[in-house]
Amino acid sequence: MGKILLAGGAGYIGGHTAVELLEAGYDVVIVDNYSNSSPEAVRRIEEITGKSVTTYELDIKDTDKLENVFKDNDISAVIHFAGLKAVGESVAKPVMYYRNNIDTTLSLLECMSKYGVHNIIFSSSATVYGEENPVPYTEEMKRGTCTNPYGWTKVMMEQILEDASKADAELSVVLLRYFNPIGAHPSGRMGEDPQGIPNNLMPYVSQVAVGRREKLTIFGKDYDTPDGTCRRDYIHVVDLAKGHVKAVDYVFGHKGVEVFNLGTGTPYSVTEIVDTFEKVNGVPVPHVYGERRPGDLPESYANADKALRVLGWKTEKTLADMCRDSWNWQKNNPNGYNK
Ligand code: NAD
Ligand code: UDP
């Protein structure tokens, strides 16, 4: 068995996946340009696992440089995490999002084809279900209409991978549709390290709790949901990372495209997140209710049956675990990896 190339492997989900793969006995190679991460994240992966990791600092869009990674290493599968992911920024800078997210995918596919690598796992998102589909989402639903360019890049990349698979009978593609990853490694040594003001709920909650921000604004309380705030399928990042280990096992014995939701199947509201965080950690999270955020859907959650049936994977961690581990990371690393 060759190595698993983790494109964007220094990031939040890639880093946790690197740890789980190394602990399961896989050999990994990380390629990242650190546009949204830092070399310190790789150092922490090595610290947690006690293994050293071959790492390349390069832009995956640069196919010539990427080729050297395939030349120098016996790669047997790729996991493609490398992408820009801030929804609001994608509305302001659509061209940058299309360029980065699509070109990284094409660059990886070109190198895979040239070096005879037939297996790819892709970080997709629940956002591809769009506005039309009813919750809970199941994998056979048609992709819907997205509300922002970030979402459209995911839809397009799924399509590109499907087309590549149709043209190459050898190719095995696994599309993983993540729901809302939160939490951190239980060691407190790895976690989410957003640059600037966080867009996502849990990093914002943690930064309010640690005193870096004054208060959380809960976006809307007049949705048609049990408490009027939006509901999401929050999943612990370590459970999500373990889902990738199962997907790697699967991708080798398979041909064609297979899609899996990676979620818990249970939605929680914004208010439930804030209440649970305050309760399990014993810290206040000052908050106010504000306007709805444009583009937010009232509810998004998975039907997670297929991943259990086919991959033998299901989540093990509770919402309390997610809130505890997020806080443990935040309070031990108040400024993220830039100590
Ligand atoms: P992240 O930003 O922490 O990780 C992405 C990594 O890719 C970063 O380390 C970044 O430096 C790297 N990268 C980006 N463009 C690159 C390029 N051109 N060349 C080399 N490296 C590049 O994000 P994450 O939360 O770990 O997400 C990983 C993937 O999962 C992304 O594709 C994201 O869209 C997808 N996803 C994330 C979420 C979420 O809520 N975090 C939800 C659904 C899907
Ligand atoms: N949210 C909020 N305040 C914030 C950030 C997020 O109320 O400062 C809400 C947001 O409206 C959504 C939920 O928290 O209902 C999760 O948002 P996030 O951006 O983390 O993920 P999304 O599901 O939008 O991708």
Side-chain angles (χ1 to χ4, degrees):
M1 157 93 57
K3 298 176 187 174
I4 316 294
L5 189 158
L6 306 185
Y12 173 49
I13 301 169
H16 285 85
T17 301
V19 167
E20 295 305 319
L21 284 170
L22 288 163
E23 288 182 345
Y26 288 100
D27 206 355
V28 307
V29 177
I30 289 178
V31 182
D32 205 299
N33 64 355
Y34 304 122
S35 57
N36 195 39
S37 55
S38 90
E40 177 63 16
V42 178
R43 219 193 53 70
R44 302 275 178 105
I45 295 167
E46 294 179 326
E47 175 195 303
I48 291 169
T49 60
K51 296 182 179 172
S52 70
V53 179
T54 310
T55 308
Y56 293 82
E57 179 176 355
L58 60 85
D59 189 326
I60 292 162
K61 298 197 292 298
D62 187 337
T63 316
D64 291 339
K65 288 205 179 118
L66 184 64
E67 249 200 79
N68 292 325
V69 181
F70 284 79
K71 217 178 279 169
D72 294 350
N73 297 276
D74 173 22
I75 306 291
S76 55
V78 169
I79 311 185
H80 180 17
F81 300 100
L84 300 173
K85 61 163 184 175
V87 169
E89 187 184 49
S90 81
V91 176
K93 299 177 180 169
V95 175
M96 183 171 102
Y97 269 66
Y98 288 114
R99 169 69 82 192
N100 192 71
N101 291 2
I102 308 287
D103 268 7
T104 50
T105 308
L106 298 175
S107 199
L108 285 164
L109 283 170
E110 280 175 3
C111 288
M112 287 172 62
S113 163
K114 191 157 174 188
Y115 289 85
V117 178
H118 304 300
N119 305 298
I120 181 164
I121 295 167
F122 174 62
S123 298
S124 192
S125 165
T127 196
V128 303
Y129 289 108
E131 297 175 310
E132 299 87 345
N133 287 302
V135 287
Y137 299 134
T138 52
E139 289 86 349
E140 78 283 356
M141 288 173 173
K142 274 196 160 56
R143 289 184 288 258
T145 305
C146 294
T147 55
N148 57 76
Y150 166 73
W152 284 119
T153 69
K154 292 294 175 196
V155 168
M156 290 176 190
M157 291 185 285
E158 287 200 357
Q159 184 68 51
I160 289 167
L161 288 160
E162 284 178 12
D163 290 342
S165 152
K166 274 183 208 146
D168 177 0
E170 284 293 297
L171 203 58
S172 174
V173 176
V174 172
L175 306 176
L176 298 179
R177 293 181 180 157
Y178 308 155
F179 282 70
N180 286 57
I182 59 171
H185 196 266
S187 64
R189 300 294 290 159
M190 280 180 61
E192 191 168 8
D193 182 18
Q195 325 276 305
I197 301 171
N199 301 296
N200 297 110
L201 179 63
M202 187 53 92
Y204 207 104
V205 166
S206 308
Q207 292 193 7
V208 170
V210 84
R212 238 170 107 176
R213 319 233 162 243
E214 191 195 341
K215 59 178 185 301
L216 170 77
T217 301
I218 296 179
F219 298 140
K221 62 168 177 181
D222 58 349
Y223 284 99
D224 184 16
T225 57
D227 67 16
T229 66
C230 294
R231 298 204 301 169
R232 295 286 180 275
D233 186 336
Y234 296 94
I235 171 171
H236 196 295
V237 67
V238 171
D239 276 334
L240 185 66
K242 288 183 174 161
H244 290 73
V245 178
K246 296 286 191 184
V248 167
D249 295 340
Y250 179 84
V251 80
F252 290 118
H254 181 263
K255 298 278 175 260
V257 180
E258 209 63 58
V259 184
F260 297 101
N261 287 339
L262 295 185
T264 65
T266 305
Y268 289 102
S269 72
V270 181
T271 305
E272 285 174 302
I273 296 289
V274 174
D275 289 350
T276 308
F277 191 98
E278 289 184 322
K279 194 163 134 237
V280 302
N281 297 319
V283 285
V285 179
H287 55 275
V288 293
Y289 290 91
E291 295 297 304
R292 291 182 176 196
R293 183 171 67 178
D296 276 348
L297 298 175
E299 297 192 294
S300 164
Y301 57 97
N303 174 318
D305 294 351
K306 184 177 174 190
L308 176 60
R309 196 176 65 248
V310 180
L311 301 178
W313 171 88
K314 67 175 169 49
T315 58
E316 285 163 5
K317 297 194 183 260
T318 63
L319 183 61
D321 296 328
M322 301 181 214
C323 290
R324 201 178 295 114
D325 289 336
S326 289
W327 178 232
N328 187 36
W329 157 252
Q330 179 68 63
K331 71 173 189 252
N332 286 309
N333 307 267
N335 299 310
Y337 291 116
N338 306 316
K339 291 162 281 207

